[in-house]
Amino acid sequence: MEIIVGTIVMQNNKILMVKEAKKMCYGKWSFPAGHLEDNETLVEGAKRETLEETGYKTKLKKSFPIFTRNDSKLKILMVYFLAEPIEYKINFDTTEIMETKWVDIEELKNMDKNDLRSHAIVEQIIQTLESGTLYNLEIIKDLPN
């Protein structure tokens, strides 16, 4: 099973998006996210991925519902957090990300499905934001080893 962690970074009613540079999803827009590393908590992984892909340090505010994808080859668990930017360094991994941009929700809703890495995730994130069904971070409890 793969675990993906990421953030929905919001500021001034806009969401921070990244344009992918990786071959498998080249040129597609996505939320900053990536694989959880060994010995890393969900929170640590989400913050690290966001910093690597956008240059933003973030403060996590809430948790989205956990999303899963289960096909014949791969099982994926996706954990996204609502975040706000707290610090920016003009530096991100250009081998993974071509560019970043702030998009308002209406613009995101109207983006062509072919321009998005995962239209299903974008739809779920927008629905969750609009319904307000986010969870307090206390829903996640890291147990000691």
Side-chain angles (χ1 to χ4, degrees):
M1 174 179 281
E2 289 187 31
I3 301 174
I4 304 297
V5 289
T7 58
I8 310 308
V9 182
M10 293 195 71
Q11 180 173 265
N12 301 323
N13 294 318
K14 294 188 178 214
I15 298 173
L16 184 60
M17 301 288 290
V18 296
K19 192 172 194 177
E20 302 277 358
K22 293 175 265 189
K23 186 176 182 178
M24 66 179 235
C25 50
Y26 187 83
K28 305 276 185 179
W29 288 99
S30 177
F31 302 115
H35 291 89
L36 188 68
E37 293 182 355
D38 291 340
N39 299 315
E40 187 174 52
T41 68
L42 296 170
V43 166
E44 291 167 346
K47 288 180 174 184
R48 175 190 50 77
E49 283 292 341
T50 305
L51 180 62
E52 288 176 3
E53 293 189 358
T54 69
Y56 279 96
K57 287 186 179 180
T58 54
K59 178 180 181 182
L60 305 186
K61 308 290 278 179
K62 297 274 187 176
S63 176
F64 283 80
I66 293 172
F67 304 114
T68 60
R69 180 169 287 146
N70 186 8
D71 63 36
S72 60
K73 296 179 184 178
L74 186 61
K75 293 174 179 29
I76 302 173
L77 182 123
M78 295 165 273
V79 181
Y80 285 88
F81 296 93
L82 181 64
E84 66 181 31
I86 56 174
E87 186 181 322
Y88 179 68
K89 64 176 187 166
I90 305 172
N91 184 359
F92 57 85
D93 187 347
T94 55
T95 62
E96 288 190 22
I97 302 301
M98 297 166 63
E99 66 179 286
T100 64
K101 79 172 177 176
W102 291 94
V103 215
D104 66 43
I105 290 180
E106 287 307 312
E107 181 183 352
L108 186 54
K109 284 181 183 178
N110 294 317
M111 286 180 87
D112 188 303
K113 291 179 184 182
N114 296 322
D115 291 337
L116 299 170
R117 180 169 182 180
S118 174
H119 184 259
I121 289 291
V122 171
E123 280 185 330
Q124 288 299 310
I125 293 294
I126 290 171
Q127 283 178 355
T128 302
L129 285 170
E130 290 180 339
S131 69
T133 51
L134 294 156
Y135 300 92
N136 290 330
L137 294 178
E138 291 78 23
I139 196 169
I140 298 168
K141 299 289 183 196
D142 294 312
L143 301 174
N145 295 337

